[in-house]
Amino acid sequence: MNTNSSENSRDWASASDPGDTDQVAAYDAMRRRCPVAYSESHGWSVFRHADVRRILHDHETYSNLVSRHISVPNGMDPPEHATYRQIIEPYFNHDRMDAFEPTCRIVASELVVKNIHRGCAVEAMGALAKPFAARIQCAFLGWPLSLHETLVRWVDAHHDATRRADREVLAALACELDLLIEKQLRQRRDSKSKADSDLTAALMHERVDGRKLNNQEISSILRNWTVGEVGTISASIGILIHHLAVHPEHQTALRRDSSLLPAAIDEILRVHNPLHGNRRVTTCPVKLDKHSIAAGERIYLNWISANRDESVFEDAGTVKFDRDPKDNLLYGAGIHVCPGAPLARMEMRVFLQELFAHTQSFRFQPQATVVPATDPESGYASIPIHLQIET
């Protein structure tokens, strides 16, 4: 480890203080002052766009084997990664997204209409973002929609335990999720579900190296598709709602021309990423910035900072719908780029279309306080908004 690690640890600790409510500003400060920094909790954090992109494309030096638990396929390196990735990618192809979009639209519409009927004052994270993310994931997997509250509760509990570094609670939560997934698999085994029954059943019929995926592999995929998606999509919806409430001119432009939505969503989430970062581990000694880092060291890629790097994005903190998206790392880059990006993009587009369709506008509630999320979450914990509808 670099001899300056203790100094860097103090630098990083000051920027990641739990009391710091502006995570984005803290990461911006780190990128400018200490672009590669060490801490006990994260290992070596990398904040600059160029460094993050270089690491993403160098999977030989920076391995994705960061956990002792199997993680299919994002926690794998080549050639194993490619084998499993070929199984995963068809579930997010154009035809599947087109077929799933009407279901996504129904879920979004029902949620928005329900909250309009309750009154025009809503807390957007609890009433819209979280239930939408959980319900849509249940629908995508073919799970009962009644499980959505369980998934929201689980994700919230997991974030809280991670915040407190409570390993005992984290272990119990892992067992709880494993049991939930095993129940879904058992029900399909018992009923001899065919591959076309739903997505979960389809995974149970997938083959790798001439054999069916085993329970551990299927469970890993389903864990990634539940926990990861529910947390990320709910954070993304919150960030989008917050931005459009702060910038009514952007809300008006998107209401007038929905063709702007795909580019606008990616750009808004570039400025405030729904994920803090992603991990790697060094396979050999490396040099990052001024630091010599040994093999076997943890590397943390800070998405929020990298996507706001002024050396790459002019006026980086400003949302520009016509900005060239080629350097946007919202979904990563290289061989591990997020395979679920088409699903996420469709879900967010449809949600905003339905929110726009049922309202004239939305804004913050008078005298209400927006509460930022705290690490490990990004975005917002609470967004009190007022939905204006036609009278």
Side-chain angles (χ1 to χ4, degrees), residues 95-317:
D95 288 344
R96 281 184 178 266
M97 295 303 97
D98 280 352
F100 185 57
E101 181 170 329
T103 299
C104 186
R105 196 170 295 282
I106 290 170
V107 172
S109 178
E110 287 178 349
L111 261 177
V112 174
V113 169
K114 181 176 75 172
N115 281 285
I116 288 173
H117 288 167
R118 286 179 175 176
C120 292
V122 301
E123 193 288 291
M125 292 304 299
L128 296 171
K130 290 181 179 181
F132 173 75
R135 290 184 189 188
I136 211 64
Q137 201 58 23
C138 286
F140 183 64
L141 297 176
W143 293 7
L145 289 184
S146 58
L147 281 177
H148 87 271
E149 292 182 352
T150 298
L151 291 179
V152 169
R153 179 197 58 76
W154 192 96
V155 170
D156 286 345
H158 193 269
H159 285 152
D160 179 64
T162 301
R163 215 171 275 123
R164 295 183 287 105
D166 191 327
R167 295 187 179 277
E168 184 176 343
V169 172
L170 287 170
L173 287 168
C175 289
E176 180 184 337
L177 184 61
D178 285 343
L179 288 173
L180 186 154
I181 292 172
E182 173 54 33
K183 181 179 180 180
Q184 295 301 313
L185 298 179
R186 185 172 62 252
Q187 288 173 347
R188 286 159 179 79
R189 280 196 302 268
D190 292 346
S191 63
K192 296 181 172 55
S193 297
K194 295 181 179 179
D196 59 359
S197 299
D198 57 40
L199 187 148
T200 300
L203 284 174
M204 298 172 70
H205 290 269
E206 291 287 1
R207 306 184 75 86
V208 59
D209 296 332
R211 62 166 178 84
K212 285 187 177 182
L213 293 176
N214 61 42
N215 267 19
Q216 188 181 26
E217 292 163 336
I218 297 169
S219 294
S220 172
I221 295 169
L222 292 174
R223 277 197 302 273
N224 289 336
W225 288 357
T226 51
V227 180
E229 288 299 310
V230 171
T232 305
I233 294 299
S234 60
S236 297
I237 294 294
I239 291 166
L240 293 169
I241 289 174
H242 180 271
H243 177 85
L244 296 176
V246 171
H247 298 277
E249 72 282 7
H250 285 173
Q251 186 180 153
T252 299
L254 296 178
R255 286 175 179 274
R256 287 176 177 169
D257 185 359
S258 64
S259 70
L260 297 174
L261 277 170
I265 289 169
D266 278 12
E267 170 68 357
I268 292 169
L269 297 180
R270 177 196 65 78
V271 172
H272 191 158
N273 201 293
L275 284 173
H276 284 262
N278 196 242
R279 298 180 295 165
R280 297 290 191 273
V281 62
T282 55
T283 62
C284 60
V286 299
K287 184 85 169 180
L288 284 174
D289 192 38
K290 61 185 177 182
H291 306 290
S292 296
I293 300 172
E297 289 286 323
R298 292 173 298 149
I299 306 293
Y300 189 79
L301 311 178
N302 192 295
W303 301 127
I304 293 177
S305 172
N307 255 349
R308 294 170 57 86
D309 192 329
E310 302 89 343
S311 68
V312 177
F313 305 98
E314 183 181 0
D315 201 7

Side-chain angles (χ1 to χ4, degrees), residues 20-23 163 276 371-382:
D20 192 335
T21 57
D22 193 340
Q23 300 170 354
R163 215 171 275 123
H276 284 262
V371 180
T374 54
D375 198 4
E377 295 177 84
S378 180
Y380 302 92
S382 176

